[in-house]
Amino acid sequence: MAGYTHFDLDGHPVLVDVSAKNITTRTAVAEGWVDLPDAIFETVSKGGVAKGDPFRIAELAGIMGVKKTPDLIPLCHNIRIDNVTLKCSLDAEKKSVLIICEAVAREVTGVEMEALTGVTTAALCFYDMCKGIDKGMVIRDIRLLKKTGGKSGEWTAEKGYDK
């Protein structure tokens, strides 16, 4: 299995050795969308979801998701998270919820997976909070927007990110 970073020569999974890497401040920003059927859009616009505020509960779930990333993603390093900002906002024009997650760590490996897991967990939680109204929500376009730090430096998505 030569050439694969997560497998040894005999094909066994391994955690990539990051012991020689330098600690740097690393950030990652990810986004995702939840498209809402009309019934859910109307209900959340008026703040009438029976389970509570899906925006704030989803934000909390997303932060928890960031912290649990190495428990969910095999061979993802357990890193100390220094900061997480996660916001869910209603885009009335698109009848969608935009979820943005920024994760920060002073570590030897990046926080891209943590930011992506935060967005995904928040989207799933929002779905759970509103599925009693209509199950037709669509979770879509979860992606990395930007990352900084480490040997590879800064990376920004080609389109759709202007923060």
Side-chain angles (χ1 to χ4, degrees):
M1 306 245 6
Y4 292 110
T5 59
H6 285 76
F7 294 93
D8 67 14
L9 294 176
D10 295 321
H12 298 282
V14 296
L15 191 63
V16 173
D17 184 0
V18 295
S19 61
K21 293 175 78 176
N22 293 324
I23 293 174
T24 63
T25 299
R26 296 156 187 269
T27 66
V29 180
E31 76 172 358
W33 293 85
V34 181
D35 294 337
L36 307 177
D38 289 339
I40 294 176
F41 176 76
E42 295 301 323
T43 304
V44 300
S45 295
K46 296 174 186 169
V49 176
K51 288 184 175 183
D53 183 346
F55 295 94
R56 302 305 80 88
I57 301 299
E59 289 170 352
L60 181 58
I63 292 168
M64 292 172 67
V66 168
K67 294 166 53 175
K68 290 292 192 178
T69 300
D71 295 332
L72 301 169
I73 307 298
L75 305 177
C76 188
H77 287 87
N78 188 8
I79 63 174
R80 189 189 80 200
I81 301 297
D82 293 323
N83 189 41
V84 176
T85 304
L86 194 142
K87 293 196 171 122
C88 300
S89 58
L90 185 63
D91 185 320
E93 184 177 309
K94 294 181 180 179
K95 291 189 178 178
S96 298
V97 175
L98 171 61
I99 303 166
I100 301 277
C101 179
E102 180 175 13
V104 180
R106 286 168 291 146
E107 272 292 351
V108 297
T109 191
V111 291
E112 297 92 340
M113 293 309 301
E114 286 75 8
L116 289 162
T117 301
V119 168
T120 303
T121 307
L124 290 169
C125 181
F126 196 94
Y127 186 99
D128 181 56
M129 293 289 292
C130 297
K131 71 183 184 219
I133 301 165
D134 188 324
K135 292 172 181 52
M137 292 167 278
V138 175
I139 297 170
R140 65 174 173 85
D141 297 335
I142 295 170
R143 67 183 183 136
L144 184 67
L145 295 175
K146 183 175 183 174
K147 65 80 63 189
T148 66
K151 188 169 74 172
S152 64
E154 186 169 318
W155 178 89
T156 302
E158 288 187 24
K159 69 180 225 181
Y161 183 67
D162 56 5
K163 185 175 177 182

